[in-house]
Amino acid sequence: MSGDLKWNKIFGAGLGTVFAILVVQQVAGMVYKTDAPEQMGYFVDAPEETGGAAEVVLPPDWGTILPTADLAAGEAAFARCQACHTINAGGANGVGPNLYGVVGNAVASHAGFAYSDAMKGHTSVDPTWSLDALDHFITAPGRYVPGTKMSFAGLRDTATRVNLIAYLRSQDSAPLPIPAPDPARQPPVPGAEEPAVAPADGTEAPADGAADTPAVEAAPTAP
């Protein structure tokens, strides 16, 4: 008899616990009930992007920037390349080829280095490592030559690339000549005024501030 009473107490305690939990859940739901707002706060009414003209990025004007490039900064930038490349004359190949005289040299042509098929095939795009070709490649090697074995992520900073390429160019017994400045690669000067255009009839344009009024003929004098 006492055993049945014991189990009844245990069963009753269990039911009481379950009932208490349900009551607490219901009360908590009523106290902390939240309603969704009719209008969301912090709404940002951002205009939709339109197909406007993209900003034109001009390629480097090597004839202007190479003479003033910082070779010391370029040598410092090359420090991150030394894990794979040497640049001294007659230097050994490493993970990458020796880069002495690379500027202006034929692509995938350094003796004794096993180039990837991707780099060998790139010779149809860039037969030589021109200044522009090096600039594109150093910016993002894997994107410019898909499949290249070069795992370097690239240099996005233009000034760093220019200094590095200037340093690579200097490491040559006969450096590639610096091209002449190219006006087409130079951005327009802000505020530059267009030259005045002469009228089609050959007459001179009126001076600044002159009133654009027809001339008045003088009245004839009495005889």
Side-chain angles (χ1 to χ4, degrees):
M1 186 71 179
S2 60
D4 294 339
L5 181 60
K6 178 181 177 181
W7 284 109
N8 288 338
K9 289 180 179 181
I10 295 174
F11 184 70
L15 288 177
T17 302
V18 173
F19 179 76
I21 293 174
L22 293 175
V23 170
V24 171
Q25 288 180 341
Q26 293 296 325
V27 173
M30 294 174 61
V31 173
Y32 298 103
K33 181 180 180 182
T34 57
D35 296 325
E38 296 181 358
Q39 183 176 359
M40 295 297 294
Y42 306 104
F43 173 74
V44 179
D45 187 11
E48 295 183 359
E49 295 184 359
T50 58
E55 182 181 356
V56 177
V57 179
L58 296 175
D61 180 16
W62 300 107
T64 301
I65 60 179
L66 274 183
T68 60
D70 189 341
L71 295 182
E75 184 177 8
F78 183 76
R80 68 190 72 185
C81 310
Q82 290 178 336
C84 300
H85 300 277
T86 60
I87 198 169
N88 56 308
N93 294 322
V95 177
N98 173 269
L99 297 180
Y100 182 80
V102 66
V103 181
N105 197 19
V107 173
S109 65
H110 191 76
F113 185 77
Y115 290 94
S116 65
D117 292 338
M119 186 60 73
K120 293 177 183 177
H122 187 71
T123 56
S124 61
V125 179
D126 291 315
T128 62
W129 283 122
S130 66
L131 297 169
D132 283 337
L134 276 172
D135 185 49
H136 292 312
F137 183 66
I138 295 174
T139 300
R143 184 174 61 189
Y144 191 61
V145 183
T148 178
K149 293 191 297 185
M150 186 170 176
S151 59
F152 180 60
L155 293 175
R156 300 297 191 272
D157 183 66
T158 300
T160 303
R161 290 197 313 276
V162 169
N163 292 332
L164 175 58
I165 291 173
Y167 173 71
L168 293 174
R169 173 186 169 275
S170 70
Q171 302 304 299
D172 195 333
S173 58
L176 183 75
I178 297 177
D182 186 357
R185 294 188 173 205
Q186 299 174 8
V189 179
E193 298 181 357
E194 297 182 358
V197 180
D201 57 3
T203 59
E204 295 183 359
D208 293 340
D212 296 334
T213 57
V216 180
E217 295 183 359
T221 59

mmCIF file of all heavy atoms in Angstrom, residues 66-96:
data_model
loop_
_atom_site.group_PDB
_atom_site.id
_atom_site.type_symbol
_atom_site.label_atom_id
_atom_site.label_comp_id
_atom_site.label_asym_id
_atom_site.label_seq_id
_atom_site.Cartn_x
_atom_site.Cartn_y
_atom_site.Cartn_z
ATOM 1 N N LEU A 66 57.947 57.020 -65.364
ATOM 2 C CA LEU A 66 59.174 56.245 -65.131
ATOM 3 C C LEU A 66 60.362 57.116 -64.731
ATOM 4 O O LEU A 66 61.135 56.734 -63.835
ATOM 5 C CB LEU A 66 59.516 55.418 -66.374
ATOM 6 C CG LEU A 66 58.846 54.046 -66.497
ATOM 7 C CD1 LEU A 66 59.350 53.321 -67.732
ATOM 8 C CD2 LEU A 66 59.078 53.197 -65.249
ATOM 9 N N PRO A 67 60.562 58.295 -65.363
ATOM 10 C CA PRO A 67 61.729 59.102 -64.961
ATOM 11 C C PRO A 67 61.683 59.556 -63.508
ATOM 12 O O PRO A 67 62.726 59.854 -62.918
ATOM 13 C CB PRO A 67 61.659 60.304 -65.917
ATOM 14 C CG PRO A 67 60.902 59.804 -67.107
ATOM 15 C CD PRO A 67 59.886 58.867 -66.544
ATOM 16 N N THR A 68 60.491 59.625 -62.924
ATOM 17 C CA THR A 68 60.367 60.090 -61.534
ATOM 18 C C THR A 68 60.037 58.960 -60.564
ATOM 19 O O THR A 68 59.733 59.221 -59.403
ATOM 20 C CB THR A 68 59.279 61.179 -61.440
ATOM 21 O OG1 THR A 68 58.027 60.632 -61.880
ATOM 22 C CG2 THR A 68 59.630 62.373 -62.320
ATOM 23 N N ALA A 69 60.070 57.712 -61.028
ATOM 24 C CA ALA A 69 59.736 56.585 -60.154
ATOM 25 C C ALA A 69 60.777 56.428 -59.046
ATOM 26 O O ALA A 69 61.951 56.779 -59.204
ATOM 27 C CB ALA A 69 59.644 55.303 -60.981
ATOM 28 N N ASP A 70 60.327 55.892 -57.925
ATOM 29 C CA ASP A 70 61.186 55.701 -56.745
ATOM 30 C C ASP A 70 61.787 54.298 -56.803
ATOM 31 O O ASP A 70 61.135 53.308 -56.460
ATOM 32 C CB ASP A 70 60.342 55.886 -55.480
ATOM 33 C CG ASP A 70 61.190 55.921 -54.213
ATOM 34 O OD1 ASP A 70 62.346 55.458 -54.255
ATOM 35 O OD2 ASP A 70 60.684 56.406 -53.181
ATOM 36 N N LEU A 71 63.061 54.212 -57.229
ATOM 37 C CA LEU A 71 63.705 52.906 -57.365
ATOM 38 C C LEU A 71 63.914 52.234 -56.011
ATOM 39 O O LEU A 71 63.829 51.006 -55.912
ATOM 40 C CB LEU A 71 65.039 53.053 -58.092
ATOM 41 C CG LEU A 71 64.977 53.527 -59.553
ATOM 42 C CD1 LEU A 71 66.374 53.583 -60.147
ATOM 43 C CD2 LEU A 71 64.083 52.611 -60.383
ATOM 44 N N ALA A 72 64.168 53.024 -54.982
ATOM 45 C CA ALA A 72 64.343 52.434 -53.653
ATOM 46 C C ALA A 72 63.046 51.799 -53.172
ATOM 47 O O ALA A 72 63.045 50.702 -52.596
ATOM 48 C CB ALA A 72 64.813 53.503 -52.664
ATOM 49 N N ALA A 73 61.927 52.479 -53.432
ATOM 50 C CA ALA A 73 60.629 51.897 -53.072
ATOM 51 C C ALA A 73 60.344 50.659 -53.921
ATOM 52 O O ALA A 73 59.744 49.693 -53.446
ATOM 53 C CB ALA A 73 59.520 52.935 -53.250
ATOM 54 N N GLY A 74 60.774 50.680 -55.185
ATOM 55 C CA GLY A 74 60.595 49.511 -56.032
ATOM 56 C C GLY A 74 61.403 48.323 -55.549
ATOM 57 O O GLY A 74 60.928 47.178 -55.580
ATOM 58 N N GLU A 75 62.632 48.585 -55.086
ATOM 59 C CA GLU A 75 63.455 47.504 -54.539
ATOM 60 C C GLU A 75 62.821 46.939 -53.272
ATOM 61 O O GLU A 75 62.832 45.724 -53.034
ATOM 62 C CB GLU A 75 64.859 48.020 -54.251
ATOM 63 C CG GLU A 75 65.812 46.954 -53.764
ATOM 64 C CD GLU A 75 67.223 47.469 -53.554
ATOM 65 O OE1 GLU A 75 67.415 48.708 -53.655
ATOM 66 O OE2 GLU A 75 68.131 46.657 -53.296
ATOM 67 N N ALA A 76 62.238 47.825 -52.465
ATOM 68 C CA ALA A 76 61.556 47.356 -51.251
ATOM 69 C C ALA A 76 60.342 46.513 -51.608
ATOM 70 O O ALA A 76 60.047 45.511 -50.947
ATOM 71 C CB ALA A 76 61.140 48.560 -50.403
ATOM 72 N N ALA A 77 59.629 46.904 -52.667
ATOM 73 C CA ALA A 77 58.477 46.121 -53.104
ATOM 74 C C ALA A 77 58.908 44.756 -53.632
ATOM 75 O O ALA A 77 58.172 43.768 -53.495
ATOM 76 C CB ALA A 77 57.702 46.886 -54.174
ATOM 77 N N PHE A 78 60.111 44.692 -54.223
ATOM 78 C CA PHE A 78 60.591 43.420 -54.758
ATOM 79 C C PHE A 78 60.915 42.433 -53.649
ATOM 80 O O PHE A 78 61.010 41.222 -53.905
ATOM 81 C CB PHE A 78 61.835 43.645 -55.631
ATOM 82 C CG PHE A 78 62.345 42.400 -56.287
ATOM 83 C CD1 PHE A 78 61.691 41.867 -57.394
ATOM 84 C CD2 PHE A 78 63.465 41.743 -55.796
ATOM 85 C CE1 PHE A 78 62.152 40.701 -57.988
ATOM 86 C CE2 PHE A 78 63.926 40.584 -56.392
ATOM 87 C CZ PHE A 78 63.261 40.053 -57.499
ATOM 88 N N ALA A 79 61.045 42.908 -52.425
ATOM 89 C CA ALA A 79 61.378 42.007 -51.311
ATOM 90 C C ALA A 79 60.351 40.901 -51.168
ATOM 91 O O ALA A 79 60.681 39.776 -50.786
ATOM 92 C CB ALA A 79 61.490 42.811 -50.011
ATOM 93 N N ARG A 80 59.100 41.192 -51.497
ATOM 94 C CA ARG A 80 58.062 40.160 -51.385
ATOM 95 C C ARG A 80 58.145 39.157 -52.529
ATOM 96 O O ARG A 80 57.475 38.129 -52.490
ATOM 97 C CB ARG A 80 56.678 40.820 -51.355
ATOM 98 C CG ARG A 80 56.245 41.474 -52.639
ATOM 99 C CD ARG A 80 54.991 42.310 -52.455
ATOM 100 N NE ARG A 80 55.253 43.534 -51.713
ATOM 101 C CZ ARG A 80 54.314 44.392 -51.340
ATOM 102 N NH1 ARG A 80 53.049 44.151 -51.611
ATOM 103 N NH2 ARG A 80 54.629 45.496 -50.685
ATOM 104 N N CYS A 81 58.940 39.460 -53.548
ATOM 105 C CA CYS A 81 59.104 38.542 -54.681
ATOM 106 C C CYS A 81 60.298 37.602 -54.501
ATOM 107 O O CYS A 81 60.434 36.618 -55.230
ATOM 108 C CB CYS A 81 59.288 39.328 -55.983
ATOM 109 S SG CYS A 81 58.070 40.615 -56.293
ATOM 110 N N GLN A 82 61.174 37.927 -53.541
ATOM 111 C CA GLN A 82 62.428 37.181 -53.412
ATOM 112 C C GLN A 82 62.244 35.756 -52.922
ATOM 113 O O GLN A 82 63.168 34.956 -53.027
ATOM 114 C CB GLN A 82 63.369 37.941 -52.462
ATOM 115 C CG GLN A 82 63.888 39.239 -53.056
ATOM 116 C CD GLN A 82 64.780 40.010 -52.096
ATOM 117 O OE1 GLN A 82 64.674 39.840 -50.886
ATOM 118 N NE2 GLN A 82 65.648 40.842 -52.636
ATOM 119 N N ALA A 83 61.068 35.430 -52.413
ATOM 120 C CA ALA A 83 60.841 34.045 -52.014
ATOM 121 C C ALA A 83 60.802 33.116 -53.217
ATOM 122 O O ALA A 83 61.053 31.914 -53.083
ATOM 123 C CB ALA A 83 59.534 33.938 -51.227
ATOM 124 N N CYS A 84 60.492 33.681 -54.398
ATOM 125 C CA CYS A 84 60.367 32.842 -55.599
ATOM 126 C C CYS A 84 61.327 33.239 -56.711
ATOM 127 O O CYS A 84 61.574 32.434 -57.615
ATOM 128 C CB CYS A 84 58.937 32.914 -56.142
ATOM 129 S SG CYS A 84 57.666 32.354 -54.991
ATOM 130 N N HIS A 85 61.832 34.469 -56.688
ATOM 131 C CA HIS A 85 62.633 34.969 -57.807
ATOM 132 C C HIS A 85 63.966 35.535 -57.325
ATOM 133 O O HIS A 85 64.056 36.119 -56.255
ATOM 134 C CB HIS A 85 61.891 36.088 -58.553
ATOM 135 C CG HIS A 85 60.584 35.674 -59.138
ATOM 136 N ND1 HIS A 85 60.468 35.039 -60.361
ATOM 137 C CD2 HIS A 85 59.312 35.825 -58.673
ATOM 138 C CE1 HIS A 85 59.196 34.818 -60.619
ATOM 139 N NE2 HIS A 85 58.468 35.277 -59.619
ATOM 140 N N THR A 86 64.993 35.383 -58.185
ATOM 141 C CA THR A 86 66.244 36.130 -58.049
ATOM 142 C C THR A 86 66.263 37.171 -59.159
ATOM 143 O O THR A 86 65.530 37.064 -60.148
ATOM 144 C CB THR A 86 67.465 35.207 -58.177
ATOM 145 O OG1 THR A 86 67.440 34.565 -59.475
ATOM 146 C CG2 THR A 86 67.457 34.143 -57.092
ATOM 147 N N ILE A 87 67.098 38.205 -58.996
ATOM 148 C CA ILE A 87 67.130 39.252 -60.019
ATOM 149 C C ILE A 87 68.555 39.637 -60.391
ATOM 150 O O ILE A 87 68.771 40.506 -61.234
ATOM 151 C CB ILE A 87 66.338 40.484 -59.540
ATOM 152 C CG1 ILE A 87 65.983 41.384 -60.730
ATOM 153 C CG2 ILE A 87 67.090 41.231 -58.449
ATOM 154 C CD1 ILE A 87 64.983 42.474 -60.415
ATOM 155 N N ASN A 88 69.552 38.991 -59.790
ATOM 156 C CA ASN A 88 70.929 39.290 -60.135
ATOM 157 C C ASN A 88 71.283 38.641 -61.464
ATOM 158 O O ASN A 88 70.706 37.621 -61.869
ATOM 159 C CB ASN A 88 71.877 38.795 -59.036
ATOM 160 C CG ASN A 88 71.703 37.315 -58.769
ATOM 161 O OD1 ASN A 88 70.585 36.852 -58.541
ATOM 162 N ND2 ASN A 88 72.806 36.571 -58.786
ATOM 163 N N ALA A 89 72.236 39.243 -62.165
ATOM 164 C CA ALA A 89 72.662 38.712 -63.458
ATOM 165 C C ALA A 89 73.214 37.300 -63.289
ATOM 166 O O ALA A 89 74.091 37.063 -62.451
ATOM 167 C CB ALA A 89 73.723 39.620 -64.073
ATOM 168 N N GLY A 90 72.671 36.367 -64.057
ATOM 169 C CA GLY A 90 73.105 34.979 -63.976
ATOM 170 C C GLY A 90 72.562 34.244 -62.776
ATOM 171 O O GLY A 90 73.028 33.135 -62.480
ATOM 172 N N GLY A 91 71.607 34.830 -62.068
ATOM 173 C CA GLY A 91 71.049 34.197 -60.886
ATOM 174 C C GLY A 91 70.278 32.937 -61.219
ATOM 175 O O GLY A 91 69.772 32.751 -62.329
ATOM 176 N N ALA A 92 70.193 32.055 -60.233
ATOM 177 C CA ALA A 92 69.526 30.774 -60.445
ATOM 178 C C ALA A 92 68.016 30.945 -60.447
ATOM 179 O O ALA A 92 67.466 31.888 -59.856
ATOM 180 C CB ALA A 92 69.940 29.798 -59.347
ATOM 181 N N ASN A 93 67.352 30.033 -61.138
ATOM 182 C CA ASN A 93 65.902 29.979 -61.073
ATOM 183 C C ASN A 93 65.466 29.383 -59.739
ATOM 184 O O ASN A 93 66.149 28.541 -59.170
ATOM 185 C CB ASN A 93 65.345 29.127 -62.211
ATOM 186 C CG ASN A 93 65.589 29.741 -63.567
ATOM 187 O OD1 ASN A 93 65.504 30.954 -63.728
ATOM 188 N ND2 ASN A 93 65.892 28.913 -64.564
ATOM 189 N N GLY A 94 64.345 29.833 -59.273
ATOM 190 C CA GLY A 94 63.781 29.266 -58.059
ATOM 191 C C GLY A 94 62.405 28.708 -58.355
ATOM 192 O O GLY A 94 62.191 28.034 -59.369
ATOM 193 N N VAL A 95 61.465 28.993 -57.480
ATOM 194 C CA VAL A 95 60.075 28.638 -57.789
ATOM 195 C C VAL A 95 59.631 29.358 -59.053
ATOM 196 O O VAL A 95 58.861 28.836 -59.850
ATOM 197 C CB VAL A 95 59.169 28.992 -56.595
ATOM 198 C CG1 VAL A 95 57.714 28.709 -56.923
ATOM 199 C CG2 VAL A 95 59.597 28.225 -55.355
ATOM 200 N N GLY A 96 60.142 30.580 -59.239
ATOM 201 C CA GLY A 96 59.912 31.340 -60.464
ATOM 202 C C GLY A 96 61.227 31.575 -61.171
ATOM 203 O O GLY A 96 62.308 31.344 -60.610
#
